[in-house]
Amino acid sequence: MFFTGDSTNRKRVDLGGRSSKERDRQKLLEQTRLERKRRLGLKQETLAAIKIQKCFRGRKAVEAERLEVREQFCIKFGERCEKVDRHCFGPESEFLRQLLFFFSLHDRDDFIRLAETCRVLHQFIKFDGNVKILFAGDDLPSNQAIVENRVKRLTFLCLQAIHHNRAWLKDQLLMPPESNDKPAVIFLEAIFSLTEPGLPWVCKLVEYVSKRNAFGLLRDIILTIQCAEKGYDSASISSLERALIHISSHVAQPRCVCPKIDPRWSFPVQILTIPLLWKLFPCFMKVFATQGLSKIYVHEMALFLPGHVNYLPPDGAPGFPGYACLLGNLLEAAGIVLSQPNCEFQVAVDFSVVAAFLLDALPPSLLSNGTPKDSTENDDIMDEDGEHSKALLSKNLEKQIFDSIDSSFLKNMVSVLFRDTPNRKADGQNDAEIRAIGAVCAFLHMIFTILPLERIMTGLAYTTELVPLLWKFIKCCHENQKWPSLSELLTCSPGDAPGWLLPLSVFCPVYRHMLMIIDNEEFYEQERPLSLQDIRVLITFLKEALWQLLWVSPGKLPSLLKAAKNISNLRRLSVQFIQHKVSGGTSELLAQLQDWNNRRQFTSPNDFHAREAADELFVSQAINKNTRARDLLKQAPFLVPFTSRVQIYTKQLATARQSSSPHPFPRHNFTIRRDHIVEDGFSKLSLLSAEDLKGMIRVTFVNELGVEEAGIDGGGIFKDFMENITRAAFDVQYGLFKETVDHLLFPNPASGMIHGSHLEYFRFLGNVLGKAMFEGILVDIPFATFFLSKLKQKHNYLHDLPSLDPELYKHLLFLKHYKGDISELGLYFVIVNNEYGEQTEEELLPGGRDIQVTNENVIMFIHLIANHRLNIQIRQQSLNFLQGFQQLIQPEWIAMFNEHELQLLISGSLEGMNVDDLRSNTHYTGGYHEKHPVIEMFWEVVKNFSSDHQNKFLKFVTGCSRGPLLGFKYLEPQFCVQRAAPDHASEYDLDRLPTSATCMNLLKLPPYKSKEKLETKLIYAINADAGFDLS
């Protein structure tokens, strides 16, 4: 009972609770199961061995039989078919039955026998011409099954023979039918003869070979001869092209009843994906485009391709992806198809849908030079799988795609899609119109993301009615508040994408391009392409759509774009990508319409503002970075009222001033001679860095007598310096700037003839203007709008020309609308500049002296003239001015303002001083108050001043002749009137002139006894022009 230290006698206990009998039972069952499995495996091995032996014996017997039949064939018909006559092809003859039985692709002699058979067949057909009688005799119905079987197998054997020997036959495959001594030509002519459309067996024959991947075999054959293309005479049709046309065009025959085959082996997938197919087979392209093949095959692709892109064959050579080859071949053929007078609506829809899908599969990274710049923001582009795209498209393939989509192609597509569109129903929903809109918008949206826009936009704008058609559709849907769903055309669509999204992705860029090239007469007088009333409706609609995209929507797009390294990672037919394009396009279009409204108002400026963007909460959010309000302000600033944007701009400037001048001490003190203010300012300020320019600068003036003027610069003298230097430097007499007929300033193109270092002066003047805006100093410099565009780094167009040269603009419009032969006017692509009596001639294009202006290129000539005058002539001056300006003013600060608003930031309102506003924001000290008699007289005198005297008064007390942009509430420090004499003032005190401290916006006003004396003294003081000697 006690432990003895011996562990061998320990009792074994099954912790599972099972007895030894149960363990033995489980072991027995497992052994039985394994034994059963072993017997089953042996049985399966035995059966498999029997099947293999049976198959081997069968094959061996067949081979023996084939050898015997081949020997009989050679005895009866000859080794090279020497004994064959025309009856050998009939149903009673053993000739074809034996040949088809023993033929082997690997036997060289069999290949020769088949070639001889086809040669003899060709001779008999050429002699007799009746293939049907040759094979069936006079009783086809009773022999139909035999005849069809023999013809099908013979045709397919010929195709297999070419495919199997394609490597050494490749030099023969593109030969014409006349080369009938070549095996490849012989086989192909046999196929051509046996697939003639009128033969009774052709439907069964094409079905037979198609199900056995005939198009796949043909694909391999054609790809083999791609390298043997040199020396091919495209003027003559080859035997291969003839055979290919017969087989592929059978589906277009009225009597065709062939069932559908697997799309993977179909003609579109196997043949149309061959690179540059039509270059090899130009005749086949005409047949494909004009005889109904395109209608059938493109519709077939429209049905299966979007859901089965994996059906396309694997890419062949680098630079030739299958979907890109298919796209290029389709687009090239579509140019012919769409130009046909009888082209059907459904054909255009199918072409558009298939092309849009294939374009969506084409990564921008594969293109060498055709991608718009906003699609390649990052050189390090990744494909959808996150891997670098290494191989670009072949230059020839890229050229095929790009050259196919020209203005004629787009004109024909739009014409066909909308030619047969029936009248719209009362509710605006018409199936044909919706399909046309969806198809053309999906296709053009993809085109806009692939091709350079300048290649196609002008054609779309001028040769089609696309803009009015799209607007008619959009307007009707908008008025009825009923938008059709176009989600089936989008990839990754959530199903609830707004119906206006896809139409706007096309309408906005096309109409925006039109606004850049039409003239003022077309827009305002002729109201083309849209009436002004329609434009007012359009502005409201676009504003609502843009607000929906940028503010009301959940905001998935911004977060998605921030997470993505590049926008090109998105599928271009995805809702997210289209939202991105539409938000940008809508914003740019509204900005352009706002510019047109600024030139000649046709709607209220408030129509561009979103009511929701005017509240204080929105403004407070927009001031902070990384907020939705700030993002909206960057993309669509016109949605925010001007006063709100000025508040944000003022806050940005205040923050920048605080960070650049944290201490209230001037960094630099300069002495400036009043009579050499520009030269002294240039010599002092041009040496400062950007940081020094942003810091506090103080000025001491020296008058004409060489005496320093009295007064300590607390900011007021510097404001006076800024106002005076801008007045002097921007004066046209100084030679750096010229003025338009409306007395608006722009850089003098001939400034270099007056100032040797004129570009340094322009950079300096950019510093001066930037410093004035940085410090919030308004200066009276009326700039031309086209020059203000340069501060926003924008391009000027034809419609900006009237502000510079209205006479030239009229002459260009005369050319634009000239009905005669323009070449008779003797114009060439040159422009003559006349500056200070010196004439120079410049070419508008390389070799322009030899390029005559004609009716075909007159539009280009007009825009090149406008571009030269508005952009090229002042390019260097504007660039240097901008460089100096941006040393102090960041581009994003003024990006939220258009040119007219920017002029207000520079010079303030032209309405003059608002006396009531100044009075309501004035403090009093020294015993004065709002109701004091002297104060009452003072405001009455100021209110009765002329505009000129009011501006001089404002400069006298603040150092600047313009008030704050948002009103005197924002004047810092606020205006103050101080009593300048004690209560019991002497006559001497009451005879003193008013004085001011401009650094504190302070007026020191003696308590004059009469209104007349107050007016006299005040007018004298503000007109004394005594510098700061009165301070």
Side-chain angles (χ1 to χ4, degrees):
M1 291 182 63
F2 298 99
F3 177 62
T4 62
D6 185 6
S7 61
T8 57
N9 296 326
R10 179 182 297 178
K11 186 176 182 180
R12 299 183 181 275
V13 179
D14 189 344
L15 297 179
R18 295 174 298 178
S19 65
S20 58
K21 292 181 179 180
E22 186 177 356
R23 287 199 306 272
D24 295 341
R25 179 174 175 273
Q26 291 292 336
K27 186 176 180 180
L28 180 61
L29 290 175
E30 180 65 19
Q31 290 175 348
T32 304
R33 186 184 66 79
L34 293 175
E35 183 63 24
R36 187 184 303 115
K37 184 178 180 181
R38 186 184 66 81
R39 291 196 302 271
L40 180 61
L42 289 174
K43 184 177 180 181
Q44 290 175 342
E45 290 177 2
T46 303
L47 291 175
I50 293 173
K51 287 182 178 180
I52 292 173
Q53 292 171 3
K54 183 178 179 181
C55 180
F56 177 78
R57 286 194 298 269
R59 291 291 182 90
K60 191 174 180 180
V62 169
E63 285 300 320
E65 185 65 21
R66 282 177 175 167
L67 285 173
E68 185 178 347
V69 171
R70 185 180 285 113
E71 291 175 0
Q72 296 174 3
F73 179 89
C74 293
I75 294 171
K76 186 174 182 179
F77 300 106
E79 285 286 341
R80 297 291 184 269
C81 304
E82 301 91 352
K83 305 175 184 179
V84 173
D85 58 22
R86 68 185 312 276
H87 300 288
C88 292
F89 293 94
E92 305 299 331
S93 174
E94 295 290 314
F95 174 71
L96 282 180
R97 183 186 68 80
Q98 291 181 348
L99 177 65
L100 296 175
F101 175 73
F102 69 73
F103 182 83
S104 171
L105 290 172
H106 304 283
D107 192 310
R108 180 70 177 173
D109 292 333
D110 284 355
F111 176 85
I112 297 174
R113 293 185 186 101
L114 182 63
E116 286 299 315
T117 300
C118 293
R119 185 183 61 79
V120 173
L121 173 65
H122 182 66
Q123 290 178 348
F124 291 149
I125 294 174
K126 187 176 180 181
F127 176 76
D128 189 290
N130 196 324
V131 183
K132 174 182 172 183
I133 294 178
L134 185 65
F135 278 90
D138 297 326
D139 188 13
L140 175 64
S142 59
N143 300 309
Q144 186 168 357
I146 296 175
V147 172
E148 286 180 353
N149 180 61
R150 289 181 177 180
V151 171
K152 288 189 300 186
R153 293 177 60 192
L154 177 61
T155 303
F156 191 61
L157 273 186
C158 291
L159 185 58
Q160 283 183 308
I162 299 172
H163 180 267
H164 185 75
N165 299 279
R166 62 188 183 278
W168 66 273
L169 291 176
K170 64 181 180 181
D171 294 332
Q172 306 173 17
L173 292 171
L174 289 178
M175 290 182 176
E178 292 75 20
S179 303
N180 51 17
D181 58 335
K182 305 296 182 182
V185 176
I186 293 173
F187 289 137
L188 290 168
E189 285 302 306
I191 296 173
F192 174 79
S193 299
L194 296 176
T195 53
E196 282 285 352
L199 295 175
W201 56 72
V202 68
C203 202
K204 295 286 184 66
L205 188 156
V206 172
E207 177 189 351
Y208 178 86
V209 298
S210 297
K211 286 184 176 180
R212 284 157 179 79
N213 194 21
F215 290 120
L217 300 181
L218 286 168
R219 173 186 174 83
D220 293 339
I221 294 169
I222 297 171
L223 289 176
T224 302
I225 62 174
Q226 290 267 341
C227 58
E229 182 183 343
K230 293 182 180 179
Y232 168 57
D233 182 11
S234 59
S236 60
I237 184 170
S238 67
S239 294
L240 176 59
E241 189 171 5
R242 281 158 47 98
L244 183 61
I245 290 174
H246 266 192
I247 296 176
S248 58
S249 61
H250 172 71
V251 294
Q253 300 300 321
R255 297 168 55 189
C256 175
V257 291
C258 295
K260 299 295 182 183
I261 64 171
D262 190 328
R264 285 172 291 188
W265 317 122
S266 65
F267 170 82
V269 170
Q270 295 296 332
I271 302 300
L272 289 181
T273 54
I274 295 173
L276 309 173
L277 177 68
W278 310 129
K279 192 174 182 181
L280 283 174
F281 306 127
C283 296
F284 184 29
M285 180 176 70
K286 294 178 183 178
V287 172
F288 178 81
T290 59
Q291 296 187 11
L293 295 186
S294 57
K295 173 182 176 181
I296 297 171
Y297 286 128
V298 176
H299 184 66
E300 180 182 330
M301 281 188 285
L303 295 177
F304 82 82
L305 191 58
H308 302 88
V309 67
N310 57 321
Y311 282 7
L312 296 180
D315 299 344
F320 291 97
Y323 57 86
C325 297
L326 176 58
L327 174 66
N329 292 327
L330 276 182
L331 290 176
E332 189 174 355
I336 301 177
V337 175
L338 296 173
S339 65
Q340 300 297 309
N342 59 346
C343 182
E344 298 180 16
F345 169 81
Q346 186 60 46
V347 174
V349 171
D350 289 338
F351 261 114
S352 302
V353 171
V354 172
F357 173 80
L358 294 173
L359 285 165
D360 193 30
L362 187 67
S365 54
L366 291 181
L367 304 176
S368 62
N369 55 16
T371 309
K373 62 182 180 181
D374 62 343
S375 296
T376 55
E377 297 165 1
N378 191 337
D379 292 335
D380 189 24
I381 298 177
M382 313 283 281
D383 60 20
E384 289 186 3
D385 297 324
E387 297 181 357
H388 291 275
S389 298
K390 296 180 180 179
L392 294 173
L393 279 189
S394 160
K395 291 289 185 182
N396 291 332
L397 178 55
E398 186 175 319
K399 185 176 186 299
Q400 182 191 30
I401 294 173
F402 286 3
D403 289 353
S404 299
I405 307 172
D406 55 14
S407 58
S408 176
F409 176 95
L410 298 174
K411 176 184 177 181
N412 292 332
M413 171 174 282
V414 173
S415 175
V416 173
L417 284 173
F418 294 96
R419 178 180 60 205
D420 299 326
T421 302
N423 293 328
R424 184 185 287 108
K425 297 178 182 178
D427 62 356
Q429 302 297 315
N430 179 277
D431 291 341
E433 184 181 25
I434 292 171
R435 291 170 63 202
I437 291 290
V440 76
C441 289
F443 176 73
L444 291 178
H445 165 75
M446 292 306 310
I447 290 298
F448 294 164
T449 64
I450 295 294
L451 294 182
L453 296 184
E454 61 271 12
R455 293 186 67 247
I456 55 176
M457 278 299 185
T458 302
L460 272 176
Y462 271 105
T463 64
T464 73
E465 293 295 316
L466 184 64
V467 168
L469 288 168
L470 286 177
W471 169 241
K472 187 179 179 183
F473 174 80
I474 293 171
K475 180 182 177 182
C476 183
C477 294
H478 176 61
E479 289 175 346
N480 294 315
Q481 291 299 303
K482 188 174 183 181
W483 290 91
S485 174
L486 302 175
S487 299
E488 68 273 7
L489 295 170
L490 309 179
T491 57
C492 312
S493 172
D496 57 352
W500 43 261
L501 198 60
L502 194 55
L504 277 188
S505 71
V506 173
F507 175 82
C508 288
V510 178
Y511 188 37
R512 189 174 75 245
H513 184 80
M514 290 193 73
L515 291 179
M516 289 192 295
I517 59 179
I518 63 174
D519 55 67
N520 294 339
E521 182 180 349
E522 289 175 306
F523 185 87
Y524 295 111
E525 311 301 337
Q526 301 175 9
E527 298 191 10
R528 294 173 49 201
L530 302 181
S531 69
L532 295 180
Q533 177 59 35
D534 277 344
I535 293 176
R536 286 188 279 269
V537 178
L538 172 64
I539 290 170
T540 302
F541 169 67
L542 292 179
K543 178 179 66 176
E544 294 172 356
L546 189 58
W547 184 260
Q548 175 78 20
L549 287 173
L550 299 180
W551 191 257
V552 178
S553 296
K556 295 179 181 178
L557 179 62
S559 59
L560 188 150
L561 294 180
K562 290 177 183 177
K565 288 185 177 180
N566 195 285
I567 185 64
S568 60
N569 286 340
L570 292 172
R571 292 294 294 270
R572 282 159 290 177
L573 272 178
S574 66
V575 173
Q576 291 85 357
F577 185 89
I578 297 178
Q579 283 179 335
H580 169 74
K581 301 298 289 186
V582 169
S583 61
T586 305
S587 176
E588 292 172 4
L589 177 55
L590 277 171
Q592 274 189 296
L593 290 172
Q594 189 182 43
D595 289 341
W596 282 94
N597 194 51
N598 288 331
R599 291 190 196 99
R600 188 190 303 178
Q601 188 168 315
F602 56 84
T603 189
S604 170
N606 294 330
D607 289 347
F608 292 90
H609 302 157
R611 292 189 303 271
E612 299 87 344
D615 57 51
E616 292 296 327
L617 178 61
F618 181 90
V619 174
S620 62
Q621 291 179 355
I623 293 173
N624 301 320
K625 293 183 178 180
N626 301 321
T627 60
R628 290 178 61 207
R630 185 66 169 268
D631 293 338
L632 183 143
L633 184 65
K634 288 181 179 179
Q635 186 158 353
F638 44 80
L639 293 178
V640 184
F642 176 63
T643 54
S644 300
R645 282 179 279 138
V646 173
Q647 292 179 38
I648 297 167
Y649 166 77
T650 305
K651 290 282 188 182
Q652 290 173 332
L653 285 181
T655 303
R657 286 196 297 268
Q658 179 62 33
S659 61
S660 61
S661 298
H663 305 294
F665 304 109
R667 294 186 182 181
H668 299 279
N669 288 279
F670 297 129
T671 300
I672 303 293
R673 294 172 295 172
R674 278 195 181 271
D675 54 350
H676 293 82
I677 190 169
V678 177
E679 292 77 9
D680 288 355
F682 174 73
S683 65
K684 301 293 196 307
L685 296 181
S686 61
L687 299 177
L688 301 183
S689 66
E691 285 303 313
D692 288 336
L693 285 170
K694 293 178 181 178
M696 189 182 297
I697 298 174
R698 292 296 174 251
V699 170
T700 301
F701 275 119
V702 175
N703 63 21
E704 292 80 354
L705 302 175
V707 179
E708 285 192 4
E709 294 182 2
I712 299 173
D713 190 1
I717 299 180
F718 181 73
K719 285 193 283 185
D720 181 65
F721 163 74
M722 294 299 295
E723 188 159 323
N724 281 281
I725 194 173
T726 52
R727 184 184 299 115
F730 289 96
D731 193 310
V732 294
Q733 298 299 323
Y734 199 74
L736 292 175
F737 277 79
K738 296 180 72 173
E739 63 179 13
T740 67
V741 292
D742 298 324
H743 305 291
L744 302 176
L745 297 174
F746 68 96
N748 181 2
S751 57
M753 300 174 65
I754 299 175
H755 296 276
S757 54
H758 66 122
L759 296 181
E760 289 79 1
Y761 268 91
F762 275 105
R763 193 177 298 110
F764 161 67
L765 293 184
N767 287 154
V768 170
L769 181 62
K771 181 64 174 177
M773 295 182 66
F774 188 79
E775 298 294 343
I777 301 172
L778 299 177
V779 290
D780 189 10
I781 313 174
F783 287 117
T785 304
F786 64 87
F787 174 62
L788 289 172
S789 297
K790 299 304 177 184
L791 297 186
K792 292 173 60 62
Q793 299 174 271
K794 288 171 59 178
H795 196 80
N796 294 304
Y797 297 93
L798 176 63
H799 48 65
D800 297 301
L801 188 58
S803 64
L804 172 63
D805 194 336
E807 282 300 314
L808 176 61
Y809 180 73
K810 289 179 182 178
H811 294 323
L812 294 179
L813 288 191
F814 169 78
L815 286 178
K816 183 176 181 180
H817 302 292
Y818 187 69
K819 301 300 183 183
D821 185 0
I822 292 181
S823 62
E824 295 177 354
L825 302 179
L827 298 174
Y828 291 85
F829 276 77
V830 294
I831 187 170
V832 178
N833 301 316
N834 190 346
E835 299 292 348
Y836 301 110
E838 182 178 322
Q839 286 193 349
T840 57
E841 192 178 78
E842 289 187 55
E843 291 184 333
L844 298 173
L845 288 174
R849 289 182 177 86
D850 302 320
I851 303 176
Q852 191 170 17
V853 180
T854 64
N855 294 71
E856 289 72 29
N857 61 21
V858 65
I859 296 298
M860 179 191 297
F861 174 76
I862 290 171
H863 287 280
L864 286 175
I865 290 284
N867 178 57
H868 181 84
R869 294 298 308 275
L870 293 167
N871 299 299
I872 295 177
Q873 270 194 329
I874 60 173
R875 176 181 295 164
Q876 291 301 321
Q877 292 89 335
S878 300
L879 180 61
N880 281 272
F881 190 95
L882 180 64
Q883 289 173 352
F885 181 75
Q886 289 185 343
Q887 283 188 286
L888 292 105
I889 301 297
Q890 297 180 18
E892 66 172 296
W893 293 348
I894 61 171
M896 57 180 134
F897 302 101
N898 61 38
E899 287 80 357
H900 293 266
E901 293 168 340
L902 184 55
Q903 182 65 61
L904 292 178
L905 292 183
I906 294 171
S907 302
S909 175
L910 299 177
E911 297 175 357
M913 187 179 79
N914 188 333
V915 178
D916 294 332
D917 181 36
L918 177 60
R919 183 172 185 176
S920 62
N921 291 285
T922 299
H923 293 302
Y924 304 96
T925 185
Y928 283 154
H929 53 80
E930 174 71 23
K931 300 298 183 181
H932 195 283
V934 176
I935 298 301
E936 295 280 359
M937 288 190 299
F938 166 74
W939 287 118
E940 190 174 342
V941 167
V942 173
K943 194 160 191 176
N944 291 329
F945 273 169
S946 65
S947 293
D948 184 50
H949 277 164
Q950 286 180 350
N951 291 339
K952 289 183 177 180
F953 166 76
L954 198 56
K955 181 180 180 182
F956 179 72
V957 296
T958 66
C960 184
S961 60
R962 300 293 180 95
L965 199 56
L966 297 179
F968 289 100
K969 176 182 178 182
Y970 294 91
L971 182 65
E972 293 183 4
Q974 284 198 320
F975 178 53
C976 180
V977 181
Q978 180 181 348
R979 183 170 176 149
D983 292 338
H984 305 288
S986 64
E987 286 298 324
Y988 173 78
D989 292 330
L990 295 178
D991 198 43
R992 293 178 59 188
L993 291 171
T995 59
S996 65
T998 54
C999 55
M1000 296 181 289
N1001 299 325
L1002 176 67
L1003 173 65
K1004 301 173 184 177
L1005 183 66
Y1008 299 113
K1009 299 296 185 182
S1010 68
K1011 175 183 173 184
E1012 291 75 14
K1013 188 170 185 179
L1014 188 151
E1015 182 177 4
T1016 302
K1017 293 291 186 180
L1018 190 56
I1019 290 176
Y1020 184 87
I1022 64 177
N1023 284 287
D1025 197 21
F1028 283 79
D1029 289 336
L1030 293 179
S1031 297

